[in-house]
Amino acid sequence: MPAPPRPGAAMCRLADGRLLAVGGLLDAKSSRFVDVYDQVGNGWEPIRELSHERAHAAAVELPDGSVLVLGGHAHDGSEDKLVASIERLRF
């Protein structure tokens, strides 16, 4: 299995067996990317973007299949700020 797409991404295994990578660092800055691991193609596929850049957040799947993304840090390359919000992702 290839490495996750970005360091600091929140990882969450979904009930259907897919692996979700949320946010993370790209060129030392936080990202908005949400990717899912495709087991057949053995690679990561982008599926959407977050409303806020996040790295080192937490992600958890809820019983209805949606995913909550909580907190994290916003890195802009020189400054690090806490992200004090929650996003709910529906697929």
Side-chain angles (χ1 to χ4, degrees):
M1 183 169 129
R6 294 165 304 280
M11 306 300 285
C12 179
R13 183 178 181 275
L14 303 176
D16 64 7
R18 294 180 298 163
L19 185 62
L20 194 69
V22 180
L25 297 170
L26 187 61
D27 297 326
K29 296 180 182 177
S30 299
S31 73
R32 294 177 182 225
F33 301 118
V34 179
D35 303 284
V36 67
Y37 180 69
D38 173 22
Q39 296 177 10
V40 174
N42 194 33
W44 294 91
E45 296 179 11
I47 57 172
R48 66 176 299 161
E49 289 191 5
L50 298 168
S51 59
H52 300 284
E53 293 88 1
R54 298 172 188 266
H56 308 289
V60 62
E61 185 180 27
L62 299 177
D64 68 359
S66 64
V67 174
L68 281 185
V69 181
L70 305 98
H73 295 263
H75 302 280
D76 66 5
S78 63
E79 191 174 358
D80 182 23
K81 297 179 183 178
L82 290 176
V83 178
S85 66
I86 298 171
E87 292 187 53
R88 188 172 189 168
L89 308 178
R90 298 177 195 272
F91 306 101

